[in-house]
Amino acid sequence: DDVLAAAGGSSRGKDDGWRVFVGRVLGQMVAVARARVSKAPALYSKFYEIGRFMSSRFYAADEHLELDGLVVNPIFAAAVKDFLRHVMRLSSTAVVYTLLPPHLPVPAGLEFATFVPPRRLPASRFPADIDPSKTGLPRDIAAPAGNPSLHFTSFRLETQAKVEVLARVVVVGTSDSAMSFLQSLLRVPYLTFHNVRVVAKGGLPTEPPMFRPDSLHFSPVDRGWHGVAGGVQVLEGKLLALDRAGRTVTVELDAGGSAAVQYDLLVLAPGLRDTESDRLQGLAAGEGERVDGVFSPYNPAIDKRAADYARRELAGSPAAKCAVYGSTIAVLIAAARLMELGVEGSQILVVSPSKVLQPLADNKACALALDATRAAGVRIVEGLAITDIEVRGGRLSAIVLDHDERVDCAMLLCLSTPGVDPTLFAALNEQSLVLDGRLVVDGAFRTNDPAICAGGELVKLSRRAQDPRRMDQFSQRELGERLAEAVLATLDPMGATQGRKLPTVVPPLLEPLAEAGALPGGKYLLHCWASPGMFPKGSLETDILRDLTSESPGGKSYSRLTVDRYGRVASALFLFDAAAAPAGKGEAWTAMALVGLPVTYLNDLEGRVDRNQMPDIRAFLFESEWARALYHDRFPMLRLQLEAGVKGHPSMVAVLKSLTDRVGHEDARLANPEMFEALLPKDAGRLVQNGLNAFLESNGDALPGYITSARAAEMVSQGNNVWTQTAAKVGLVVGDVPLMDNTL
């Protein structure tokens, strides 16, 4: 009775549906659960990939159980599954869900539950002139607070035991490729990994880089590291030494001391970092000593140290200066971050070794960014390298440029040419791993030691692979996924039945790349571009057919899309005032969905630009309701389904052959849709339209701004005549499904 009262039984006030279940063995209480029949089971399908594991249509609305809390005597931890089965039976439910805080291990006893990945969805909203209560749309469901991870089980899943993997896997680094590798490895639903350790200086990166561009590979939801943080042991530190014979790595811990960690498989994916700071440190300090005030920010620990140092030594001290060294867009992003930390623009000096600082290939965007930087008080010096630093009392006091020009300086951020971390390089070289500028791997990402794999921008493919691709030019997230596929071919006990094979070549890498971040002067940069793998017969520079640009008065917003000769969006660049468009900054990761799309998807964007009817492309693509579906996580799947359906149409065979022939002859007119629109049969267009309508209706919970004919009919029946009036304007009635083309 005390337990029931403390847990908040329904007798204490309003009945909100929560019930307390007590498990007993021989009269002794061994387990307590607090749960209720879910009031909003649609929440799980809207924000999580629950559809990958079960179909909600097989369960009634009252068969979903929310588990709020569970306490079990450790002696009976192995019986949690049986206890929950009884809870489901007593509550007449068939599925149990529980939401757990991110970044924390899965509680003991719940390892059998299946992790459900979160969905990558932009924010959804109803149009301002639509009353949700008078539509047939599902009611708007808010995302659960705190970005929790979802785990679930059902009667069916409880009869299917997971396969346990006991191999000791050690992952070094938290680069984008390393985190993507961990996501892909640990999210295999039928596997449970018991011994995965991550060597991560500063821990897992829960925020985008502070002083470098955000690659946009991970959304804010992704950075909860659902399924990763709960399945690994994080060793906060860096790799110090490697013993291949003993299969042991020595880790220098952030908290002090070191730890020896044994492995069965070692995965190296730390990424690259600026090494100029190490050269300068070596010139100014003795071996093993570090100069305070010199930073190469490439992980969360150094980001935090550099930010704390800037606040302490520069903010509020106008005489103290900070130099930012490099020639990429990172130097402007670092300058903006310093200003956010309280450093005045006049205290910041950007030193570029390039003769002309050109951080962006787009000349217009580059000029706007540099003008805003200078207007914020930041001084830019071009064509000079830092040759030495001066130290006083163990702290940086000045930098020395070419021609012995000396500049007083209290802080230096090095963001120049990336390379392999010197400590890591020494450890690998000492153990005779093959290095040729980068760590050499085969088509399965294995080094010359089969127990050591590597991926991301750290690696290059061996000459035997006859693959000259540079891995730093491709999506690091995609490389992490390919690395996981290769590793699972050997780690997965069910690999043969799952069709896993050890790859001999790295497959085509097609995912887009991006860089984004705040710039001085209140600007925000968002730049996405296609992978080199999208241009098998050319490149991003040679295959561009036309530019689509817009610029608002005063340069407050500049947009440029490039279209390749296949009619696809090859790149998208947006430079805008962050204060005027906060949503554009918060949902920057969605812009990657534009790259590779046919430009004809973009609501006659080409025609609008040609007619001078497009004042702001960015606002048109990101602030207009019509475009929300383009960024939906299942939109690529819709495209594949429609393409498969249309390709099966008899009349399409000739069209596809004609287009294929033109590709083979490198016909530059491929991007002209009028050439083949006339060849498309009308019923193929109807097939595409019907598929689009079905997609919008089945995903209405995340796309409430679209009114299909079926939803319109429901709206009319509920007293909303907005759609009736709209249909009358084009000579139709509600329920008609006209063939949508440019004339409607």
Side-chain angles (χ1 to χ4, degrees):
D1 291 341
D2 291 341
V3 170
L4 293 175
S10 60
S11 59
R12 293 174 29 179
K14 182 179 179 181
D15 184 3
D16 55 6
W18 292 108
R19 298 290 182 269
V20 176
F21 300 83
V22 176
R24 292 186 175 91
V25 174
L26 299 178
Q28 297 297 313
M29 183 173 65
V30 298
V32 180
R34 185 173 187 261
R36 70 176 177 185
V37 175
S38 178
K39 293 185 176 182
L43 176 142
Y44 307 118
S45 60
K46 178 176 180 180
F47 295 105
Y48 298 90
E49 293 281 2
I50 194 70
R52 290 172 50 180
F53 306 98
M54 56 172 274
S55 177
S56 57
R57 69 176 184 272
F58 295 142
Y59 299 93
D62 60 353
E63 289 187 306
H64 304 264
L65 188 71
E66 298 177 14
L67 180 64
D68 180 57
L70 176 66
V71 181
V72 180
N73 186 319
I75 298 175
F76 296 92
V80 170
K81 186 186 298 186
D82 297 321
F83 175 57
L84 289 180
R85 187 181 300 116
H86 285 295
V87 171
M88 284 191 283
R89 179 177 56 81
L90 291 170
S91 59
S92 300
T93 56
V95 187
V96 177
Y97 307 89
T98 184
L99 294 171
L100 301 176
H103 310 131
L104 294 178
V106 175
L110 278 181
E111 295 93 342
F112 69 90
T114 299
F115 165 75
V116 184
R119 292 178 62 182
R120 291 164 57 90
L121 289 172
S124 61
R125 53 184 177 269
F126 283 92
D129 58 343
I130 294 295
D131 181 359
S133 65
K134 294 184 178 181
T135 73
L137 301 172
R139 68 184 182 87
D140 198 19
I141 301 174
N147 191 15
S149 63
L150 175 65
H151 301 253
F152 91 108
T153 189
S154 64
F155 280 121
R156 180 179 65 84
L157 287 175
E158 286 187 356
T159 63
Q160 302 173 355
K162 289 187 176 183
V163 178
E164 296 187 341
V165 180
L166 301 179
R168 298 167 299 181
V169 180
V170 176
V171 180
V172 176
T174 56
S175 66
D176 286 355
S177 53
M179 298 310 298
S180 175
F181 166 80
L182 288 168
Q183 281 187 331
S184 300
L185 184 77
L186 298 172
R187 289 183 176 183
V188 179
Y190 60 86
L191 296 179
T192 297
F193 287 86
H194 289 285
N195 294 299
V196 179
R197 294 183 175 183
V198 181
V199 179
K201 194 166 183 62
L204 301 182
T206 59
E207 298 289 339
M210 294 184 69
F211 299 97
R212 293 172 291 121
D214 183 358
S215 67
L216 302 183
H217 286 137
F218 303 105
S219 70
V221 170
D222 289 327
R223 290 191 179 277
W225 304 125
H226 305 89
V228 173
V232 303
Q233 179 186 353
V234 179
L235 296 175
E236 296 193 14
K238 64 179 293 184
L239 186 145
L240 192 61
L242 168 64
D243 177 8
R244 286 174 55 191
R247 291 195 174 183
T248 304
V249 294
T250 302
V251 179
E252 182 183 54
L253 301 174
D254 291 348
S258 62
V261 184
Q262 292 188 313
Y263 64 85
D264 298 308
L265 177 68
L266 176 63
V267 180
L268 302 171
L272 301 178
R273 49 156 290 198
D274 169 88
T275 56
E276 188 67 14
S277 61
D278 298 277
R279 181 185 70 84
L280 295 173
Q281 292 267 11
L283 291 173
E287 185 175 351
E289 297 180 6
R290 304 295 292 179
V291 176
D292 205 8
V294 179
F295 301 93
S296 174
Y298 66 97
N299 61 43
I302 299 179
D303 277 359
K304 184 178 184 305
R305 286 212 323 265
D308 291 343
Y309 191 90
R311 290 191 192 96
R312 184 176 67 251
E313 302 296 333
L314 276 77
S317 302
K321 306 294 182 182
C322 176
V324 183
Y325 186 53
S327 298
T328 66
I329 194 63
V331 297
L332 302 190
I333 290 173
R337 176 65 72 175
L338 289 168
M339 295 172 72
E340 289 181 11
L341 296 171
V343 181
E344 297 293 333
S346 57
Q347 296 176 256
I348 302 172
L349 171 67
V350 171
V351 180
S352 170
S354 301
K355 188 173 182 180
V356 176
L357 178 59
Q358 182 82 15
L360 294 170
D362 184 292
N363 292 329
K364 181 65 176 180
C366 187
L368 290 171
L370 292 176
D371 288 347
T373 300
R374 292 187 175 98
V378 178
R379 181 186 168 204
I380 299 176
V381 175
E382 300 170 308
L384 293 176
I386 298 179
T387 59
D388 201 353
I389 57 176
E390 295 182 3
V391 181
R392 182 177 301 164
R395 302 171 68 176
L396 178 70
S397 62
I399 59 173
V400 180
L401 306 178
D402 288 332
H403 313 301
D404 294 328
E405 181 180 347
R406 181 182 177 281
V407 179
D408 289 335
C409 193
M411 182 177 180
L412 172 62
L413 293 177
C414 292
L415 297 160
S416 58
T417 306
V420 181
D421 179 89
T423 304
L424 176 65
F425 183 93
L428 302 182
N429 193 50
E430 183 180 348
Q431 291 294 304
S432 301
L433 291 177
V434 179
L435 291 131
D436 182 14
R438 300 287 185 267
L439 183 59
V440 178
V441 297
D442 63 13
F445 297 100
R446 296 177 302 184
T447 65
N448 53 308
D449 183 340
I452 302 178
C453 294
E457 57 188 359
L458 173 70
V459 306
K460 67 181 297 185
L461 296 173
S462 64
R463 291 187 176 91
R464 183 178 298 177
Q466 295 184 342
D467 189 337
R469 288 178 293 177
R470 286 179 48 189
M471 295 298 104
D472 59 346
Q473 294 181 343
F474 295 89
S475 164
Q476 298 304 299
R477 178 173 183 143
E478 187 177 15
L479 280 166
E481 293 168 352
R482 300 292 84 80
L483 175 60
E485 291 172 2
V487 165
L488 283 168
T490 56
L491 287 184
D492 183 359
M494 305 285 290
T497 59
Q498 296 294 323
R500 300 191 191 278
K501 295 181 180 179
L502 193 67
T504 57
V505 297
V506 177
L509 301 167
L510 305 176
E511 294 298 317
L513 296 90
E515 57 186 8
L519 305 182
K523 298 290 186 183
Y524 190 84
L525 171 71
L526 172 53
H527 182 204
C528 312
W529 63 95
S531 163
M534 295 290 285
F535 305 96
K537 291 199 167 195
S539 67
L540 182 60
E541 291 74 27
T542 62
D543 279 14
I544 299 305
L545 192 64
R546 67 168 303 183
D547 291 346
L548 304 173
T549 62
S550 69
E551 183 180 359
S552 62
K556 291 186 176 180
S557 179
Y558 171 75
S559 304
R560 180 188 180 213
L561 269 65
T562 60
V563 181
D564 67 17
R565 65 193 186 95
Y566 303 105
R568 306 172 302 188
V569 176
S571 67
L573 184 147
F574 308 100
L575 183 64
F576 53 93
D577 286 349
K585 178 180 177 180
E587 296 185 5
W589 61 273
T590 62
M592 297 182 77
L594 292 173
V595 178
L597 280 183
V599 71
T600 50
Y601 280 41
L602 304 184
N603 203 354
D604 193 28
L605 178 62
E606 284 186 298
R608 295 172 192 266
V609 171
D610 291 340
R611 296 189 298 270
N612 294 320
Q613 295 175 340
M614 184 50 57
D616 189 344
I617 293 177
R618 187 205 60 79
F620 180 69
L621 293 175
F622 295 104
E623 296 179 7
S624 302
E625 290 298 327
W626 72 268
R628 306 303 292 179
L630 299 177
Y631 315 114
H632 192 278
D633 63 340
R634 290 176 185 155
F635 192 72
M637 188 183 303
L638 168 69
R639 291 184 60 198
L640 293 175
Q641 291 172 346
L642 294 181
E643 287 174 12
V646 172
K647 284 178 182 178
H649 195 284
S651 302
M652 286 298 296
V653 176
V655 177
L656 291 173
K657 184 179 184 306
S658 174
L659 292 175
T660 303
D661 290 343
R662 289 172 186 165
V663 171
H665 290 90
E666 301 186 11
D667 190 336
R669 299 172 298 163
L670 285 170
N672 183 2
E674 287 76 15
M675 288 194 63
F676 52 87
E677 266 187 0
L679 301 175
L680 293 175
K682 289 296 183 183
D683 48 350
R686 178 78 66 176
L687 176 67
V688 171
Q689 176 178 313
N690 290 343
L692 179 58
N693 272 287
F695 168 79
L696 293 174
E697 289 174 3
S698 62
N699 292 284
D701 55 351
L703 296 170
Y706 294 87
I707 309 299
T708 63
S709 58
R711 295 184 191 171
E714 293 173 343
M715 290 170 62
V716 172
S717 68
Q718 297 183 43
N720 190 318
N721 65 353
V722 172
W723 193 245
T724 305
Q725 297 169 359
T726 305
K729 291 180 181 179
V730 292
L732 301 170
V733 297
V734 171
D736 283 348
V737 184
L739 183 62
M740 292 181 284
D741 57 28
N742 289 337
T743 65
L744 180 60

